[in-house]
Amino acid sequence: MTTETESRSATARRWGSQLTQLAAVVAIVLVGKGAVAEPFYVPSGSMEPTLLIGDALLASKYPYGYSTASLPIHVAVPESGRVFGATPHRGDVVVFRWAGDRSQVWVKRVVGLPGDRVQIDGGRVFINGEAAKVTPDGVGRAEDDNGSYETAARYIETLPGGVAHPIFKLYDNARLDNMPEVTVPAGHLFVMGDNRDNSADSRVPVRDGGVGMVPIDDLVGRVDAIVGSWNPGVRRQPVSDWLSGFRVARFFTKVH
């Protein structure tokens, strides 16, 4: 009886040790996702050509500090200010919680900072009266959410301050090509997608499906790298061809 009891006790201790180790691993992962960086998946083409549908991103959380938006899972708790907060730089690509449904996480580029005056005239961005420099850069293929492609004019846009990045323009005189000058409120950001004619961004209010002015407290983190990429369009092909969907050249590339 003693031997059997000791055996059961030893087994219980082993199970307890394993469960403790598992709990520690889970805690480390959650802390890492909450405090350091978190992976995200790009489901739409609004940030093409910088980000493609199917890109897996790594967003660093520490550059802008932490708030309830930084939690790795959405929890319905009162919104808070930021701890160790910092304002993004113009040109940063950021991940944030959408005010229309805070369980959703969106990605856009910061164009206007608090206090900036932002205007869109003929598709061109003006910041505090200064036009962003736009240089033609050939053509590209813009993919929509249905997996179809459309030829797009490609440009290199240089924002005031010097950050240069590619953008797509699908149409002339598009519906979001003109917007009267607005001033970005304190504690908010004006963000845009790099696919200028296929992005519901700060040009569109939240009530109409856009993001409006994004509160800095809603930031999750800064997108620093693409860690993987797979073209979901290959799902329409035979399973044997699915490996061809991996975009190996985009693995572990820096986001500008």
Side-chain angles (χ1 to χ4, degrees):
M1 294 291 292
T2 303
T3 302
E4 183 178 350
T5 302
E6 290 176 348
S7 177
R8 289 177 179 175
S9 178
T11 301
R13 285 197 298 270
R14 284 197 301 270
W15 275 105
S17 176
Q18 291 174 356
L19 289 173
T20 300
Q21 292 175 18
L22 178 60
V25 170
V26 171
I28 290 171
V29 170
L30 289 176
V31 169
K33 289 181 66 176
V36 182
E38 187 172 350
F40 295 96
Y41 172 81
V42 178
S44 77
S46 69
M47 279 295 293
E48 292 174 336
T50 303
L51 303 177
L52 305 182
I53 298 174
D55 281 350
L57 313 176
L58 191 65
S60 301
K61 296 191 173 183
Y62 56 86
Y64 309 138
Y66 306 93
S67 70
T68 54
S70 308
L71 296 173
I73 56 175
H74 173 59
V75 180
V77 296
E79 297 183 30
S80 66
R82 299 193 79 81
V83 178
F84 309 118
T87 302
H89 295 96
R90 187 181 293 117
D92 284 358
V93 177
V94 297
V95 173
F96 55 92
R97 295 202 177 274
W98 180 45
D101 179 355
R102 290 182 58 81
S103 67
Q104 295 186 26
V105 178
W106 290 29
V107 58
K108 303 291 180 187
R109 186 180 298 274
V110 175
V111 172
L113 302 175
D116 279 349
R117 293 178 287 108
V118 181
Q119 180 183 7
I120 313 297
D121 186 2
R124 196 163 186 181
V125 177
F126 289 77
I127 308 292
N128 299 323
E130 180 182 353
K133 180 181 178 182
V134 178
T135 305
D137 191 40
V139 296
R141 291 203 313 160
E143 183 180 10
D144 63 23
D145 299 350
N146 297 317
S148 300
Y149 288 90
E150 189 172 358
T151 300
R154 179 184 167 108
Y155 299 90
I156 300 298
E157 179 180 77
T158 304
L159 297 170
V163 174
H165 58 95
I167 63 171
F168 273 167
K169 275 292 289 171
L170 292 166
Y171 318 112
D172 294 327
N173 302 314
R175 67 182 184 89
L176 298 178
D177 274 357
N178 295 283
M179 186 193 76
E181 185 177 88
V182 296
T183 299
V184 183
H188 289 71
L189 304 169
F190 190 98
V191 301
M192 297 181 72
D194 290 347
N195 191 350
R196 291 296 163 79
D197 298 331
N198 186 26
S199 176
D201 45 43
S202 289
R203 295 171 291 178
V204 182
V206 174
R207 65 177 180 274
D208 294 331
V211 304
M213 300 289 182
V214 176
I216 291 178
D217 285 350
D218 287 350
L219 291 178
V220 176
R222 182 185 68 201
V223 176
D224 289 330
I226 299 167
V227 295
S229 185
W230 184 74
N231 181 4
V234 300
R235 287 180 296 189
R236 297 188 295 272
Q237 302 176 15
V239 175
S240 58
D241 295 335
W242 283 14
L243 283 176
S244 66
F246 285 104
R247 306 180 183 112
V248 178
R250 295 182 67 78
F251 282 38
F252 303 107
T253 55
K254 185 174 177 60
V255 173
H256 298 283

